[in-house]
Amino acid sequence: EDANKYFIEMMNAKAAGRTDIAPSKETFTIIIQHFANVADLGSAVKLVQTMVEQHNIQADQRVYGALIDCCSNAAALKENLEERQSFAMQAETILDEAWELFPTSSAADKERILSRALKAWTFTCDSEAVDKFMKRYQQHGLSPSRMAWANLLTMHERRANGADAEKGLKAMIDLGLDPGPSFVCTVALAYSREGDSENTLRVLREAKDRGIDVGSCKQWLYLQNSLGMVWTPPSTWRYPQGVVVMPEELTQYQAELEKIAPKPVSDIGYNSQPQQPTKHKNRGGKRGWKKALKKFRKG
């Protein structure tokens, strides 16, 4: 908000004839990203129009990426499915426009902005629409990044669909990407949310056998409190509120968790989104992605 206030002062100064503090493309981008963070798509679009029409500054990929983020954040706040789908479609439209304007963008830049649009679709919890969107990676010879897989797995967690979450995890591994504890625990949470404690523990044990410290991520803390519960499937992207607790099983599963990761996680809160993935070289390449996608669809 302070940045927006100073920006307005800069705009007023320029209107008064001062060019020494006139807003630049970087200044515009910062404020547009601010509007994206607060899901104010109308203000973001209006500012882009002002930048182009009144200041003759053309939007670059960062600006388009911010607009897509705005659609994603706006979708996350909507209870109504149609509204969330509308914002996801707007994100895809902005994506197509960006690719048309910047056809020579690097593969990394294309993947980055594509994954930002994917995130908007994951908030719809529409697995068919997301699967259709995922085909765009293959069409453009791109491989999904760790962030893309994180958003995809989190969607399946929200849907309480452990089987689809595990398919995604396996496809990710087939690409040569190291899933890490947060990805594994997201799959376990997806199983846990549908009341499938047996598969929840299986996924965690298999990860432990591969040397993954599942107790080191934020999701583990929440997983400790979710075993032994059956979650009502969500009608929106938000996590379901109604639960049925099975106390006679909870103690048993808590004991099993202690065997998997005896060291408790402390001083951290549960975050519904997986941790920000670190940079990781995708060793799968184009051919590896096609193979993984084919396996993912066959299930």
Side-chain angles (χ1 to χ4, degrees):
E1 292 182 2
D2 287 342
N4 192 31
K5 180 182 68 175
Y6 292 135
F7 178 74
I8 293 174
E9 292 179 2
M10 294 173 68
M11 295 282 283
N12 292 336
K14 182 176 181 179
R18 292 190 60 185
T19 59
D20 56 322
I21 58 173
S24 62
K25 178 184 290 188
E26 288 71 24
T27 310
F28 276 105
T29 303
I30 291 172
I31 304 303
I32 292 168
Q33 187 64 61
H34 160 71
F35 286 133
N37 293 340
V38 297
D40 189 349
L41 183 59
S43 295
V45 171
K46 183 178 179 181
L47 187 56
V48 173
Q49 292 173 339
T50 299
M51 179 182 74
V52 175
E53 297 172 3
Q54 299 182 19
H55 297 269
N56 197 29
I57 299 176
Q58 298 304 311
D60 58 14
Q61 290 192 77
R62 290 180 58 198
V63 171
Y64 278 92
L67 292 176
I68 291 175
D69 289 343
C70 194
C71 293
S72 179
N73 293 333
L77 297 175
K78 299 298 181 181
E79 294 285 351
N80 183 275
L81 175 61
E82 287 72 22
E83 289 183 292
R84 284 181 274 125
Q85 290 175 329
S86 175
F87 279 112
M89 287 187 285
Q90 289 183 68
E92 191 165 357
T93 299
I94 294 170
L95 170 69
D96 290 335
E97 184 176 342
W99 275 2
E100 184 177 345
L101 290 173
F102 310 107
T104 60
S105 300
S106 67
D109 286 339
K110 288 182 177 179
E111 191 286 327
R112 190 176 299 112
I113 197 170
L114 180 60
S115 294
R116 292 164 91 165
L118 170 66
K119 183 177 181 180
W121 274 111
T122 61
F123 282 120
T124 68
C125 283
D126 185 341
S127 59
E128 291 185 4
V130 170
D131 185 49
K132 180 180 178 181
F133 187 88
M134 288 286 288
K135 294 178 182 178
R136 299 187 63 152
Y137 286 93
Q138 184 178 11
Q139 292 169 356
H140 294 278
L142 301 171
S143 295
S145 64
R146 289 171 61 86
M147 179 60 76
W149 289 113
N151 289 323
L152 182 66
L153 296 186
T154 302
M155 180 193 73
H156 292 312
E157 180 202 342
R158 296 189 188 107
R159 295 176 60 243
N161 191 319
D164 281 354
E166 190 166 11
K167 287 179 186 177
L169 183 69
K170 290 179 178 178
M172 178 183 175
I173 294 173
D174 287 342
L175 279 175
L177 295 173
D178 178 12
S182 63
F183 291 85
V184 172
C185 282
T186 298
V187 175
L189 274 169
Y191 275 121
S192 178
R193 291 191 183 286
E194 59 180 308
D196 190 346
S197 297
E198 181 177 348
N199 274 317
T200 301
L201 292 172
R202 175 187 59 78
V203 168
L204 294 172
R205 290 183 182 123
E206 290 176 355
K208 180 182 179 181
D209 291 341
R210 296 197 303 270
I212 298 175
D213 183 8
V214 293
S216 64
C217 63
K218 295 179 180 180
Q219 286 83 345
W220 176 259
L221 183 65
Y222 193 82
L223 187 58
Q224 288 179 311
N225 299 320
S226 68
L227 280 174
M229 299 181 183
V230 176
W231 293 75
T232 304
S235 58
T236 70
W237 77 269
R238 290 180 172 79
Y239 292 104
Q241 299 298 317
V243 298
V244 177
V245 183
M246 300 180 292
E248 66 279 5
E249 297 183 20
L250 184 58
T251 302
Q252 172 189 349
Y253 291 126
Q254 289 285 7
E256 292 298 322
L257 282 180
E258 286 296 318
K259 295 177 183 178
I260 296 172
K263 295 181 180 180
V265 180
S266 60
D267 299 327
I268 60 173
Y270 174 69
N271 186 338
S272 61
Q273 293 285 0
Q275 291 176 311
Q276 179 81 9
T278 55
K279 291 183 178 180
H280 184 91
K281 184 178 181 181
N282 188 336
R283 297 186 296 273
K286 297 179 182 178
R287 299 177 67 180
W289 157 239
K290 292 179 180 179
K291 181 179 178 181
L293 180 62
K294 185 176 180 181
K295 183 180 294 187
F296 175 68
R297 287 181 185 151
K298 285 184 177 180

